[in-house]
Amino acid sequence: MGILNKIFKKSRQPEGDGIFYNQMKALLGFAPLTIDYYQRAFIHRSSNKTDENGNAINYERLEFLGDAMLGAVIAAHLFSEVPTGDEGYLTKMRSKIVSREHLNELGRDLNLIKWVKSKVSAQHFGENIHGNLFEAFIGAIYLDRGFVYCEKFIFEKVIVPYVDIPKLEGKVISYKSLVIEWCQKGKKPFHYEVYEDNGTEGQKHFGVKLSIDNKVVAKARATSKKKAEEKASQRAYFAFQEKINKK
Amino acid sequence: MGILNKIFKKSRQPEGDGIFYNQMKALLGFAPLTIDYYQRAFIHRSSNKTDENGNAINYERLEFLGDAMLGAVIAAHLFSEVPTGDEGYLTKMRSKIVSREHLNELGRDLNLIKWVKSKVSAQHFGENIHGNLFEAFIGAIYLDRGFVYCEKFIFEKVIVPYVDIPKLEGKVISYKSLVIEWCQKGKKPFHYEVYEDNGTEGQKHFGVKLSIDNKVVAKARATSKKKAEEKASQRAYFAFQEKINKK
């Protein structure tokens, strides 16, 4: 078991080598220039690493930097995306997007934890490590490539897949409940079915299909059953909207 | 009086013309590309301006944007400037730098209020208008030229003249009190004298000279007597430090 664990850990934590570089490049969608920044973004304080001046080397300072960059990028996005929103609205929406819960979800979905170098085992990290790693990773991007690349990464990995403004506004709390309500009103039978449950350590994937009137109307994959159901519901909802608008 | 007021107002508030463009260029230290953003940064909500879709045109949304950019630029500066500071230290230092009081001081020193377009008179603005205008102005720079120009402006106008890390750390509360203490210990007579009191509407300037042992050791100019005294004390303090270090 001990040997298996070691092999497993080794393959998951490459040492500043070509594997890590390629993984980072794939995650970023562009080439890292200074790989050290990304390495630092995964060093847990328990490693007790220090530089030649005795300053701690871990990802905690990068969190501070990444948090600030994330805040600025989301602010700029909301500013241009919602021209009707006043200062209070923009502030409220931003805090929803960068909430601890949301950042943890982002970090977890990107499975950042698999690169962590630590002297304590993963069970001791606590839930917030996912969000902290996400912030630190943004901080590393800023140091490596500057603000515009932070913007590019946040747009692709946060804004496009996660920022659903009507939902954040609370106008739509759950697409699943909208779909169920719509089916019940129309007396249509509906059914959510898990067709895929692909669980590997750290990164789980679920596939869910939604049938209405015994026909599959939408499919979606996500990191939890609940999220996959919600995604499938959203797709079904937008497909219905389109149909209604065409009539 | 009414006519004088009108003439005065007109000369202070040019209408998107060459004068305003040149004033902005001088303040920015680079050429604005889209002057409209800077014009918007001075439109007070009392103007009740709206665009063709009925959205309000004033500087309040720009405050949100500028606040975020300022936070990011200061974060990046502190991150690189204080490699020994942990996340908590960096967060605390940033909030001191971007405190409401500090932003009001910055906006007041740049005399941004002179460009405000408003339907209410300046007495009704309240103290925070200075900081709000400063934030909105940063927001306009972001829209016009992007993050790197925000950084450049904030560096020149905020960091270099205002960000004194030892003082912010509370290690030095007041250079004036340090100088007085030092004089009293050495039984040296000292004297602060206002040699200039140049008060024009909106932009006041005071010149203060500090004499020790009946010799002028430092001079400084600032927008208040207190600030000029502090600046002169700081200069005297650093001059003494240099002397001491040479010995």
Side-chain angles (χ1 to χ4, degrees):
Chain A
M1 182 60 191
I3 287 170
L4 273 177
N5 243 343
K6 271 185 193 168
I7 294 169
F8 188 55
K9 273 198 176 164
K10 211 174 168 189
S11 73
R12 281 166 73 217
Q13 304 185 330
E15 293 281 335
D17 53 9
I19 299 169
F20 182 70
Y21 176 89
N22 287 330
Q23 288 173 333
M24 290 299 106
K25 193 177 165 186
L27 177 59
L28 290 163
F30 49 81
L33 296 182
T34 305
I35 197 72
D36 299 28
Y37 296 133
Y38 301 98
Q39 275 164 337
R40 178 177 290 215
F42 295 109
I43 299 174
H44 190 260
R45 68 174 307 143
S46 65
S47 302
N48 291 321
K49 270 196 147 190
T50 51
D51 65 13
E52 61 276 22
N53 301 316
N55 297 325
I57 300 185
N58 60 53
Y59 61 70
E60 295 183 7
R61 299 176 84 241
L62 283 173
E63 286 177 47
F64 167 75
L65 190 59
D67 169 77
M69 295 304 152
L70 188 65
V73 169
I74 300 295
H77 172 71
L78 287 171
F79 184 92
S80 75
E81 201 65 11
V82 195
T84 54
D86 66 14
E87 219 195 332
Y89 168 93
L90 297 169
T91 305
K92 206 170 71 188
M93 289 295 277
R94 183 173 59 169
S95 56
K96 282 187 184 181
I97 296 170
V98 300
S99 70
R100 187 50 38 194
E101 192 190 348
H102 200 188
L103 295 186
N104 283 338
E105 187 186 341
L106 286 164
R108 207 183 306 109
D109 286 2
L110 295 174
N111 200 11
L112 297 177
I113 205 166
K114 77 173 173 179
W115 287 293
V116 167
K117 282 172 196 281
S118 158
K119 283 195 179 150
V120 296
S121 72
Q123 296 102 283
H124 296 97
F125 288 152
E127 187 56 9
N128 286 345
I129 194 170
H130 301 291
N132 294 345
L133 288 172
F134 183 77
E135 289 178 333
F137 194 71
I138 302 290
I141 300 173
Y142 176 77
L143 293 179
D144 184 37
R145 308 287 310 249
F147 187 81
V148 173
Y149 278 81
C150 282
E151 214 170 3
K152 184 176 146 63
F153 180 81
I154 293 168
F155 195 81
E156 282 166 18
K157 302 288 175 176
V158 184
I159 292 171
V160 170
Y162 292 93
V163 177
D164 179 344
I165 288 173
K167 195 162 175 182
L168 285 169
E169 279 176 342
K171 288 183 188 158
V172 177
I173 290 150
S174 145
Y175 285 102
K176 189 181 173 188
S177 62
L178 277 181
V179 164
I180 293 177
E181 196 186 340
W182 184 79
C183 289
Q184 287 172 338
K185 265 191 194 163
K187 307 216 185 294
K188 291 170 192 294
F190 66 91
H191 179 60
Y192 288 89
E193 189 191 342
V194 176
Y195 70 89
E196 194 186 335
D197 182 347
N198 188 351
T200 61
E201 181 66 31
Q203 186 147 29
K204 292 210 180 230
H205 269 290
F206 293 87
V208 164
K209 55 186 177 187
L210 165 59
S211 307
I212 296 176
D213 265 343
N214 300 314
K215 262 183 277 177
V216 176
V217 294
K219 277 182 171 186
R221 294 173 77 241
T223 50
S224 78
K225 193 186 146 210
K226 201 178 155 196
K227 276 198 250 175
E229 284 182 352
E230 183 59 19
K231 237 183 194 174
S233 305
Q234 190 179 349
R235 282 176 186 164
Y237 178 81
F238 285 120
F240 297 151
Q241 290 289 90
E242 226 166 88
K243 258 194 204 162
I244 291 163
N245 291 337
K246 271 186 190 161
K247 273 174 191 168
Chain B
M1 182 61 191
I3 287 171
L4 275 177
N5 243 341
K6 270 186 192 167
I7 294 170
F8 188 57
K9 274 198 175 165
K10 211 175 169 186
S11 73
R12 281 168 70 219
Q13 304 184 332
E15 292 281 335
D17 53 8
I19 297 168
F20 182 70
Y21 176 89
N22 287 332
Q23 288 173 334
M24 290 297 106
K25 194 177 164 186
L27 177 59
L28 290 163
F30 49 82
L33 296 181
T34 305
I35 196 72
D36 299 29
Y37 295 132
Y38 302 97
Q39 275 163 338
R40 178 176 290 213
F42 295 107
I43 299 175
H44 190 259
R45 66 176 305 144
S46 65
S47 303
N48 292 320
K49 269 196 146 189
T50 52
D51 66 13
E52 62 278 20
N53 302 315
N55 297 325
I57 299 185
N58 59 55
Y59 61 70
E60 295 182 6
R61 297 177 84 243
L62 284 173
E63 286 176 48
F64 167 75
L65 189 59
D67 168 75
M69 295 304 154
L70 187 65
V73 169
I74 300 295
H77 173 71
L78 287 171
F79 184 92
S80 75
E81 202 64 14
V82 195
T84 55
D86 66 12
E87 219 194 333
Y89 168 93
L90 297 169
T91 305
K92 206 171 71 188
M93 289 294 278
R94 182 174 60 170
S95 56
K96 282 187 184 182
I97 297 171
V98 300
S99 69
R100 187 49 40 195
E101 192 191 349
H102 201 188
L103 296 185
N104 284 338
E105 187 186 342
L106 285 164
R108 206 183 306 108
D109 285 1
L110 295 173
N111 200 10
L112 297 176
I113 206 166
K114 76 172 176 181
W115 288 292
V116 167
K117 283 171 195 278
S118 159
K119 283 196 176 148
V120 295
S121 71
Q123 297 102 285
H124 296 97
F125 287 151
E127 186 56 10
N128 286 344
I129 194 169
H130 300 290
N132 294 344
L133 288 172
F134 183 76
E135 288 179 333
F137 194 72
I138 301 290
I141 298 172
Y142 176 77
L143 293 178
D144 184 36
R145 307 287 309 248
F147 186 80
V148 173
Y149 278 80
C150 282
E151 216 171 0
K152 184 177 145 65
F153 180 81
I154 292 167
F155 194 81
E156 283 166 19
K157 303 288 175 176
V158 183
I159 292 172
V160 170
Y162 290 94
V163 177
D164 180 346
I165 289 174
K167 195 161 175 181
L168 286 169
E169 278 177 343
K171 289 184 187 156
V172 178
I173 290 148
S174 146
Y175 286 100
K176 190 182 171 187
S177 62
L178 278 182
V179 165
I180 293 176
E181 197 186 338
W182 184 80
C183 290
Q184 287 171 339
K185 265 191 193 164
K187 307 217 185 292
K188 293 171 192 290
F190 65 92
H191 179 59
Y192 289 89
E193 189 192 339
V194 176
Y195 68 90
E196 194 187 331
D197 181 348
N198 186 354
T200 61
E201 182 66 35
Q203 186 147 28
K204 291 210 182 233
H205 268 290
F206 292 89
V208 164
K209 55 186 176 190
L210 165 59
S211 308
I212 296 178
D213 264 344
N214 300 316
K215 263 185 273 175
V216 175
V217 293
K219 278 183 171 187
R221 295 173 77 240
T223 51
S224 79
K225 193 184 145 212
K226 200 180 154 198
K227 276 197 250 174
E229 284 180 352
E230 183 59 18
K231 239 184 195 173
S233 305
Q234 190 178 349
R235 283 176 187 166
Y237 177 79
F238 285 120
F240 296 151
Q241 291 289 93
E242 225 165 90
K243 259 193 205 166
I244 291 164
N245 291 337
K246 271 183 192 164
K247 278 176 190 171

